């Protein structure tokens, strides 16, 4: 539907981010759904024009859910953390792959949708009355219901910020503030300009080739031309299809992979930060620290300290003659 809304083929390795929120224990402002997309309402209570609820799943077994949007409602879903899932309607696949945090999904009234959750997830759900949307008229700039249905905006920064504005308030969020956020989100979606042409997602077999190349050469200089050549496409077509499949520009994806490898070195070795930066492909420690903080929300030094504080110390192992590899394996086992 949009260049950054195509979703099929996103087969990236699932990696949770330390800067993404943990599962909430209780949020009175946003009641948890016991059944997917079915917020509980008090008996006899009047239906609100905007209802906000939260859906989270901490299991690792694939979970199947299905729901139909009410005839008078739109359904908005904002991913609060990165997850892996499949959305489908009958034999039609709407989305299948890694859904990054900040992704926005929109479903139109009276539309059925099935979901398979393949990893832990956390979503903020907006159930918005159709009356909150401007009436479609010829010559207006607003999108129609059919144009909005199954709209998937991967890593939509505006929707992400609106969701954070709500969740950061927690129990102190009042209904009027939440309603304003819901109305703002509805207008954000309704005013989007839908493209006249559809960009297909990068096929899975091409995506796997690119992933393997980045995995093998992440510590070297990799240009857009290099990745396009690996995929067998022109630079322009590759960049558009890669973003449609993953939600990332090629350069962003490379940086994220470098940071993931840096996390492993920071957590499991005593390498100085400058050496870590060079080992994962950055020319300077300053650039490495800047990118690391932008992606994780913390500096490399603070992230390393916080990570090590999560695991019990194991000084007795080193005194007993265990090597670094054995200590890492022991830590991994205790963390699990």
């Amino acid at each position: 539907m949009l260049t950054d809304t195509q979703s099929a083929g996103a087969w990236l390795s699932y990696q949770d981010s330390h800067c993404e929120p943990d599962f909430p224990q209780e949020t009175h402002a946003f009641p948890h759904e016991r059944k997917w997309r079915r917020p509980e309402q008090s008996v006899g209570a009047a239906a609100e024009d905007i209802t906000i609820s939260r859906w989270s799943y901490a299991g690792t077994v694939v979970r199947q859910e299905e729901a139909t949007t009410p005839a008078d409602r739109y359904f908005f879903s904002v991913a609060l953390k990165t997850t892996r899932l499949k959305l489908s309607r009958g034999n039609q696949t709407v989305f299948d792959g890694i859904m990054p945090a900040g992704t926005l999904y929109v479903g139109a009234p009276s539309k059925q949708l099935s979901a398979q959750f393949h990893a832990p997830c956390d979503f903020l759900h907006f159930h918005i009355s159709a009356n909150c949307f401007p009436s479609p008229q010829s010559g207006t700039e607003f999108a129609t219901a059919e144009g909005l249905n199954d709209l998937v905006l991967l890593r939509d920064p505006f929707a992400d910020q609106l969701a954070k504005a709500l969740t950061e308030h927690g129990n102190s969020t009042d209904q009027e503030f939440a309603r304003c956020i819901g109305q703002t989100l509805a207008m954000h979606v309704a005013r989007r300009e839908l493209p006249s042409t559809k960009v297909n997602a990068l096929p899975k077999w091409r995506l796997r080739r690119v992933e393997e190349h980045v995995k093998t050469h992440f510590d070297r200089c990799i240009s857009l031309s290099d990745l396009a050549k690996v995929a067998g496409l022109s630079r322009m077509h590759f960049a558009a299809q890669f973003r449609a499949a993953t939600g990332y520009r090629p350069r962003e994806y490379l940086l994220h992979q470098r940071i993931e490898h840096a996390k492993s070195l920071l957590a499991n070795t005593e390498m100085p930060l400058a050496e870590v930066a060079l080992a994962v492909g950055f020319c300077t420690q300053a650039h490495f620290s800047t990118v690391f903080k932008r992606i994780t929300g913390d500096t490399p030094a603070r992230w390393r300290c916080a990570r090590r504080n999560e695991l019990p110390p194991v000084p007795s192992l080193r005194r007993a003659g265990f090597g670094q590899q054995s200590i890492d394996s022991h830590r991994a086992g205790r963390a699990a």
Side-chain angles (χ1 to χ4, degrees), residues 6 30-31 65 78 95 125 141 154 169 177 213 220 236 263:
Q6 308 308 311
F30 316 116
E65 297 288 343
V78 181
F95 181 97
H125 287 172
E141 58 180 326
L154 294 174
H169 278 75
F177 176 71
H213 184 80
R220 307 176 189 176
M236 181 181 68
K263 287 180 180 179

Side-chain angles (χ1 to χ4, degrees), residues 282-310:
F282 290 93
C283 295
T284 66
Q285 180 181 336
H287 186 210
F288 165 61
S289 297
T290 299
V291 175
F292 191 96
K293 185 173 183 179
R294 174 167 60 84
I295 291 178
T296 68
D298 222 338
T299 64
R302 292 182 59 184
W303 186 94
R304 170 182 265 174
C305 181
R307 172 59 178 160
R308 293 186 174 181
N309 288 337
E310 293 174 2

Side-chain angles (χ1 to χ4, degrees), residues 196-266:
S196 57
T197 59
K198 178 180 178 180
V199 177
N200 294 321
L202 190 68
K204 294 177 182 178
W205 67 272
R206 293 184 189 271
L207 184 59
R208 291 193 186 101
R209 288 174 58 178
V210 173
E211 289 175 342
E212 287 300 319
H213 184 80
V214 172
K215 183 178 179 180
T216 305
H217 305 290
F218 68 90
D219 57 339
R220 307 176 189 176
C221 179
I222 303 178
S223 67
L224 176 61
S225 297
D226 294 332
L227 296 179
K229 185 177 180 180
V230 170
L233 297 171
S234 67
R235 291 175 50 182
M236 181 181 68
H237 285 90
F238 166 72
Q241 292 184 26
F242 185 85
R243 190 177 183 186
T246 67
Y248 291 94
R249 294 181 176 88
R251 177 64 178 171
E252 291 176 325
Y253 174 71
L254 174 60
L255 291 177
H256 274 76
Q257 293 305 301
R258 286 176 172 171
I259 295 304
E260 289 303 323
H261 285 281
K263 287 180 180 179
S264 178
L265 294 176
L266 291 172

Side-chain angles (χ1 to χ4, degrees), residues 90-101:
N91 295 326
Q92 177 189 0
T93 297
V94 176
F95 181 97
D96 185 4
I98 299 299
M99 179 174 283

Side-chain angles (χ1 to χ4, degrees), residues 18-128:
H18 285 264
C19 64
E20 293 166 0
D22 296 329
F23 294 120
Q25 297 298 318
E26 184 177 9
T27 308
H28 296 296
F30 316 116
H32 274 72
E33 301 172 357
R34 297 189 178 183
K35 299 194 67 175
W36 184 58
R37 294 178 51 175
R38 292 176 175 84
E40 295 184 1
Q41 293 184 347
S42 302
V43 177
E48 298 284 345
D49 56 355
I50 297 177
T51 303
I52 304 176
S53 56
R54 200 157 180 171
W55 165 261
S56 58
Y57 174 58
T60 56
V61 178
V62 177
R63 178 162 179 168
Q64 178 79 37
E65 297 288 343
E66 183 176 312
T68 300
T69 310
D72 62 341
R73 299 260 160 174
Y74 282 85
F75 172 74
F76 286 23
S77 176
V78 181
L80 299 179
K81 67 178 298 174
T82 300
T83 187
R84 191 191 187 292
L85 75 163
K86 179 180 181 180
L87 302 177
S88 60
R89 179 177 300 103
N91 295 326
Q92 177 189 0
T93 297
V94 176
F95 181 97
D96 185 4
I98 299 299
M99 179 174 283
T103 295
L104 171 66
Y105 168 82
V106 181
S110 303
K111 298 296 184 180
Q112 177 271 344
L113 188 70
S114 297
Q116 287 183 353
F117 298 95
H118 295 263
C121 62
D122 192 11
F123 288 92
L124 197 61
H125 287 172
F126 296 78
H127 313 264
I128 303 178

